[in-house]
Amino acid sequence: MVTIGPVQMLAVEFGPDAKFAGKIIEELESLERFGFIRVIDLLFIHKEPDGTISGRNYQAEGMGTTIAALLGLETRTLREVEALEEMADEGYPFGLSVDDIREMASELDPGTSAGFVLLEHVWARTLRRVIREAGGKPVAEGFLTPETLGPVAAEIAEAVRALDAAAAEETSQRHARRRLGRL
């Protein structure tokens, strides 16, 4: 059986005046290079003034087919997409359904575009496994909104400063030990 980390779909809308300079792809490649994520699929779509949604061929060869199937843009079946379900954990009471994904695309304003990226969180593979082995079952996940973070923003900022300071101190001590070891 293939081991796979949590899979997230990221959908980003771009207005008609969006400026693409390749920075987004560069950042995704950097995150992949460091082993944090793996880009499973990527598709860029555009909604025409008449409401027609079409895929754009800005992605690498072979990319876009899974997301296109999820969006209903291709005539093929969802069998290949359903294979991902076999690798995913059972019992998740949350997440995006195919209907949710298609609704995101249909709600785009005419003349706008969107990028859809399927990301595997490679860093979470082992964490997912040990949670499962301990008898745990995730019950929720998601990024917190600014509204949710607002009431605790000062506390979070202080915690981040403390963590950064501790990491800087540890790095400084490690460098000092190396220098002393060379003397």
Side-chain angles (χ1 to χ4, degrees):
M1 174 155 168
V2 176
T3 302
I4 189 167
V7 176
Q8 174 186 16
M9 175 173 280
L10 176 63
V12 181
E13 182 176 347
F14 298 95
D17 298 329
K19 297 175 179 87
F20 300 103
K23 299 288 186 188
I24 297 168
I25 297 297
E26 288 174 12
E27 184 59 21
L28 288 171
E29 289 171 347
S30 176
L31 291 168
E32 273 191 306
R33 194 170 36 256
F34 286 109
F36 297 126
I37 66 162
R38 179 173 27 190
V39 175
I40 296 172
D41 201 25
L42 173 106
L43 179 66
F44 190 77
I45 64 170
H46 181 76
K47 188 167 190 177
E48 303 296 336
D50 68 0
T52 304
I53 296 175
S54 59
R56 299 292 186 194
N57 292 322
Y58 297 126
Q59 55 275 345
E61 183 69 31
M63 285 289 208
T65 56
T66 301
I67 295 172
L70 286 169
L71 291 171
L73 297 179
E74 297 201 2
T75 56
R76 67 181 202 160
T77 67
L78 289 175
R79 281 191 201 138
E80 293 168 30
V81 175
E82 289 168 351
L84 280 175
E85 292 176 7
E86 294 175 14
M87 293 182 273
D89 283 341
E90 294 180 18
Y92 276 93
F94 53 87
L96 294 173
S97 69
V98 172
D99 289 340
D100 295 333
I101 294 165
R102 289 180 180 174
E103 186 176 330
M104 282 188 276
S106 69
E107 288 180 355
L108 288 172
D109 290 330
T112 63
S113 301
F116 288 82
V117 184
L118 282 179
L119 304 172
E120 175 195 0
H121 290 274
V122 176
W123 61 269
R125 283 181 184 170
T126 303
L127 177 61
R128 173 185 257 185
R129 181 181 51 78
V130 297
I131 288 171
R132 212 178 304 126
E133 288 171 356
K137 181 173 103 175
V139 293
E141 67 181 52
F143 293 105
L144 299 181
T145 65
E147 295 79 16
T148 301
L149 290 172
V152 293
E155 290 85 352
I156 290 173
E158 183 55 37
V160 168
R161 278 192 288 278
L163 290 167
D164 285 347
E169 178 64 24
E170 184 179 321
T171 299
S172 176
Q173 288 175 0
R174 198 174 21 233
H175 289 302
R177 283 192 298 272
R178 282 190 204 143
R179 283 192 304 272
L180 290 174
R182 292 183 196 153
L183 295 178

